[in-house]
Amino acid sequence: MAVTTFATSRPSGGSGRSAATSLRVDRKVTVADDVVELTLTRPDGGRLPDWTPGAHVDLVLDDGLTRQYSLCGDRWDPRTYRVAVLREADSRGGSSFVHDRLREGDLVGLGGPRNNFALAPATEYHFVAGGIGITPLLPMIAQAAMLDVPWRLLYGGRSRSSMAFADRLVAEHGDRVTILPEDEHGRPDLPSWLPDPSHGAKVYSCGPTGLLTAVQRACAHWPAGRVRTERFVAAAEEPGTGGRRFEVELRRSGTTLTVGPDQSLLQVLGEAGVHVLSSCRQGLCGTCETPVLGGVPDHRDSILDEGDRAAGDCMFVCVSRARSERLVLDL
């Protein structure tokens, strides 16, 4: 299938993140049912790290609780970040903390920004969003409009009142935007909406797993690398792909470790005193990217595209394993 799948934001080399920074919640406002938008600034009013459309940041919310959110504001504003947070029904603590406990004036920690879902040049863009998946697409739309590149958006959600920024998008962009609440129109007919792949066109989609699966099916005939999706939930592991024992050589320290069938590589590294920064532990955020010097990784992340997987020169140690008997890592 000619689909490239990304998750929120690959780092630009290595497994690090930006230096720890505290951000202040300047504004917290409800923008849809169960969605709040946070406006974040540095307490000293200073400049924030630059970012590009599709980027996300890690927010350290409480007692080390870290969650990733797509930046959805104006990338040309050097002193303000904006994120929108959906209250998840099965929240692991992040969204409920933001909705119920975070107040204007509170401080949160910052990691990033990082970008796995970067907007590549194209002759035209077809954006497909589902629910809170609209957030990384907002700055992409602004970029396409600024560059005067043709684009269109299909935006679906449970109901009109649950679809953040929908009214603003229609007001600003008119018939380039198609709003399809499921309770009014049912699920979108993607094969009818998506055109045949013209030269240089690209599809960018973000939303729930069902939507991304439908986009992948509708675009199965598109050339490789022209369809890009971002997941907020890790892709399901295929049956029969459980772990097996393998060895890991840490080139810089000269240490060799064994990873058992029921252990993650990140866990084994930590138990050996080798600290690799990590956050989501689901192969989504990109924090734990580690260079591979030898061996064949078994990529189980939702970040790398087909070309990156084939290159085999990096891996995300929170979920990925080894196809070879031994891996050599630059650690």
Side-chain angles (χ1 to χ4, degrees):
M1 180 178 295
V3 176
T4 303
T5 301
F6 292 79
T8 49
S9 307
R10 187 178 179 186
S12 57
S15 58
R17 66 175 76 179
S18 63
T21 303
S22 290
L23 300 183
R24 181 178 60 216
V25 181
D26 269 2
R27 189 166 181 260
K28 177 182 176 182
V29 59
T30 299
V31 291
D33 292 347
D34 291 326
V35 180
V36 294
E37 182 186 54
L38 305 179
T39 301
L40 306 168
T41 61
R42 281 178 42 166
D44 63 2
R47 186 184 183 97
L48 291 165
D50 294 338
W51 58 282
T52 54
H56 81 278
V57 291
D58 299 334
L59 295 186
V60 184
L61 301 171
D62 182 47
D63 295 331
L65 180 69
T66 303
R67 294 293 181 266
Q68 294 75 43
Y69 300 109
S70 296
L71 290 167
C72 61
D74 178 4
R75 63 170 294 212
W76 302 110
D77 180 349
R79 289 177 170 79
T80 302
Y81 284 166
R82 288 191 175 88
V83 300
V85 181
L86 170 69
R87 182 192 291 276
E88 301 281 358
D90 55 350
S91 172
R92 295 179 294 130
S95 70
S96 60
F97 179 86
V98 169
H99 278 258
D100 299 333
R101 297 173 57 190
L102 196 62
R103 300 287 183 263
E104 292 181 356
D106 287 351
L107 297 180
V108 296
L110 170 70
R114 297 188 299 276
N115 201 337
N116 292 342
F117 193 44
L119 185 68
T123 57
E124 61 184 274
Y125 296 104
H126 305 283
F127 299 114
V128 182
I132 199 64
I134 190 62
T135 52
L137 301 186
L138 291 174
M140 293 186 181
I141 289 168
Q143 182 86 350
M146 182 184 72
L147 296 176
D148 199 27
V149 178
W151 65 271
R152 55 208 285 261
L153 167 69
L154 177 64
Y155 182 12
R158 296 188 312 275
S159 63
R160 195 172 295 270
S161 63
S162 72
M163 298 171 67
F165 312 111
D167 291 343
R168 188 186 86 188
L169 284 162
V170 172
E172 292 180 357
H173 301 294
D175 60 7
R176 289 178 183 265
V177 178
T178 301
I179 304 295
L180 292 178
E182 188 172 344
D183 62 351
E184 298 177 23
H185 300 281
R187 294 186 177 181
D189 182 359
L190 287 169
S192 296
W193 187 83
L194 285 165
D196 288 331
S198 61
H199 178 71
K202 287 185 170 67
V203 175
Y204 281 80
S205 181
C206 183
T209 300
L211 174 69
L212 300 186
T213 299
V215 168
Q216 290 171 346
R217 288 173 178 165
C219 296
H221 61 296
W222 280 59
R226 302 268 292 278
V227 180
R228 302 187 174 189
T229 65
E230 180 182 62
R231 295 181 180 273
F232 290 136
V233 177
E237 191 170 283
E238 295 180 6
T241 59
R244 63 178 182 82
R245 190 178 304 275
F246 62 96
E247 288 190 342
V248 178
E249 176 189 338
L250 310 183
R251 176 61 55 85
R252 279 186 270 164
S253 67
T255 303
T256 298
L257 305 173
T258 299
V259 182
D262 300 320
Q263 296 175 294
S264 73
L265 177 49
L266 181 65
Q267 175 189 349
V268 170
L269 291 170
E271 291 173 352
V274 181
H275 180 59
V276 177
L277 287 173
S278 64
S279 180
C280 72
R281 304 197 174 205
Q282 299 180 73
L284 287 169
C285 73
T287 307
C288 66
E289 181 180 4
T290 301
V292 176
L293 303 178
V296 182
D298 179 6
H299 296 292
R300 302 188 180 193
D301 61 88
S302 298
I303 299 175
L304 298 176
D305 64 17
E306 294 171 5
D308 290 329
R309 289 171 184 261
D313 58 1
C314 71
M315 66 186 298
F316 298 95
V317 296
C318 65
V319 293
S320 295
R321 300 182 65 82
R323 293 190 181 278
S324 55
E325 297 294 326
R326 185 182 183 92
L327 288 176
V328 182
L329 302 182
D330 187 16
L331 291 172

